[in-house]
Amino acid sequence: MENLMRVCRSCKAVGTLLLTALSWSSCLPVGEEAVCTAPGLGRYTISFTGKWSQTTFPKQYPLFRPPAQWSSLLGATHSSDYSMWKKDEYVSNGVRDFAEKGEAWELMKEIEAAGEKIQSVHSVFSASAIPSGIGQTSTQLEAHSRHSLVSFLVRIVPSPDWFVGVDSINLCEGNRWKEQVTLDLFPYDAGTDSGFTFSSPNFATIPQDTVTEITSSSPSHPANSFYYPKLKSLPPIARVTMVRIKKRQRVFVPTPPVVVRMGNEIEDSLSETPLDCEVSLWSSWGLCTGPCGKTGAKSRTRYVHLQPANNGTPCPELEEETASVSWKKSLLYKGQTSENRLVQVDFPDPGHLKKPLPQKLN
């Protein structure tokens, strides 16, 4: 009997340990970051660098009302149970408001709710807006071994619903925190507005679409502000660098945005994107300018849709002339003579005229 009781006590102890282990493991997020065993907290300085210049992205570059700029940065450190945004998936109402209007209130409430209900968010961080396309802003973030993923958004201003950001970047690698993470950033479409250009009016996408990456050929439409069909891929429009802080700072003062004027360098040189000239279709031919019955000329015109830049293909001729002869003739209708009518005959070149010109009819 005593042995039986000992066995029961052992089984009870093992069961307690098993339940404890299971309850602890259930708190761990499911995914790659579940294996993170890095000690303590991972503290980082995150620096966002805008590289949106007129040299790199010359097509329809916004110069005023408003000029090219970046919204404030809003992000969170979290587990795999939370997703701020994800490519090929639908965005939340909060991300929609942020991507379209730069309003962060709804997104903040969503992050807070996720942190309270499933404890999937460890911290929230933000950085100041950049009032130009080129510049830098920074702040600090804090990650935990069970919340080692980083996500953030920065809105492209002006734009319909375009943004840059990262989705669930892991700062942990096994039993250690990564010392530095640097990523080039490219534009995304939130799928809530159907505008093609930076300054497009509000035009809601119904039904809502998923998040898609904007490339040099997609959307495949000449009106698209990022449409550069001769490029295999777009140059990066921004960059983010996260550097681990080895010693905790007592007080952190957010760095004000640094605006870099054209001609200065930001970490590396800006690439030049060639922009080819775009012209309209030809107009209709005008009337012949020569006297009646003699060789004259007529012309047609076209205009420039888009001026070339950065050694792109120059504009072709905008006016074209061709030889033309006009004369008047009378037409008979049921024995009655109508009024004279002007008739034109076109020739490719006055020097190629070999046939005699038609005579004026009575």
Side-chain angles (χ1 to χ4, degrees), residues 12-328:
K12 186 176 180 180
V14 172
T16 302
L17 290 173
L18 182 59
L19 287 174
T20 302
L22 287 174
S23 61
W24 179 78
S25 64
S26 66
C27 295
L28 289 175
V30 179
E32 182 184 356
E33 75 280 8
V35 299
C36 178
T37 57
L41 298 174
R43 294 184 175 87
Y44 289 80
T45 296
I46 176 171
S47 299
F48 175 86
T49 303
K51 303 177 69 176
W52 183 19
S53 71
Q54 191 173 9
T55 302
T56 309
F57 298 92
K59 187 174 183 181
Q60 302 168 6
Y61 188 80
L63 297 174
F64 55 89
R65 297 183 182 179
Q69 56 189 276
W70 300 96
S71 76
S72 58
L73 179 151
L74 181 60
T77 55
H78 56 90
S79 69
S80 61
D81 297 320
Y82 172 75
S83 176
M84 179 177 288
W85 68 277
K86 195 172 292 292
K87 184 181 177 181
D88 298 326
E89 294 188 5
Y90 297 101
V91 300
S92 64
N93 291 336
V95 173
R96 179 199 62 199
D97 290 349
F98 190 85
E100 289 188 8
K101 298 174 285 187
E103 297 177 358
W105 176 247
E106 187 67 28
L107 182 55
M108 286 291 294
K109 289 197 298 182
E110 292 174 356
I111 297 174
E112 183 180 354
E116 291 179 352
K117 290 181 180 179
I118 56 177
Q119 298 182 351
S120 58
V121 175
H122 176 73
S123 66
V124 179
F125 56 91
S126 64
S128 302
I130 303 174
S132 67
I134 306 174
Q136 189 175 84
T137 186
S138 63
T139 187
Q140 285 188 347
L141 63 85
E142 182 180 270
H144 187 271
S145 59
R146 294 196 299 272
H147 303 84
S148 59
L149 302 183
V150 175
S151 296
F152 72 79
L153 293 168
V154 183
R155 179 177 180 249
I156 298 173
V157 183
S159 74
D161 60 341
W162 302 341
F163 67 92
V164 298
V166 298
D167 167 38
S168 303
I169 296 299
N170 201 339
L171 295 178
C172 182
E173 192 171 44
N175 62 353
R176 68 181 184 87
W177 295 106
K178 296 177 181 178
E179 294 299 322
Q180 180 172 324
V181 176
T182 300
L183 297 168
D184 286 331
L185 305 179
F186 300 88
Y188 283 89
D189 188 321
T192 61
D193 192 292
S194 298
F196 268 136
T197 66
F198 295 121
S199 57
S200 292
N202 186 39
F203 183 46
T205 302
I206 301 176
Q208 180 177 331
D209 204 351
T210 58
V211 175
T212 55
E213 183 176 355
I214 301 173
T215 69
S216 59
S217 58
S218 179
S220 182
H221 194 290
N224 181 25
S225 295
F226 286 111
Y227 185 69
Y228 297 92
K230 290 189 175 181
L231 297 181
K232 291 183 178 180
S233 61
L234 288 175
I237 195 171
R239 176 176 293 172
V240 63
T241 301
M242 291 170 275
V243 180
R244 187 184 173 201
I245 302 172
K246 296 183 179 180
K247 292 184 179 180
R248 183 175 182 180
Q249 298 178 0
R250 294 182 180 180
V251 179
F252 172 72
V253 179
T255 304
V258 177
V259 178
V260 180
R261 302 298 179 188
M262 292 298 294
N264 295 340
E265 294 183 353
I266 308 177
E267 298 183 2
D268 56 359
S269 60
L270 299 173
S271 61
E272 286 193 358
T273 301
L275 185 65
D276 297 337
C277 178
E278 294 181 8
V279 297
S280 66
L281 297 175
W282 286 110
S283 66
S284 300
W285 286 104
L287 294 176
C288 179
T289 57
C292 183
K294 295 185 179 181
T295 303
K298 64 178 183 178
S299 64
R300 61 179 181 175
T301 59
R302 55 186 173 185
Y303 59 89
V304 175
H305 275 313
L306 188 66
Q307 292 287 353
N310 304 330
N311 298 316
T313 303
C315 294
E317 293 295 330
L318 301 179
E319 186 173 2
E320 185 177 69
E321 285 191 354
T322 187
S324 178
V325 175
S326 64
W327 71 91
K328 291 183 180 180

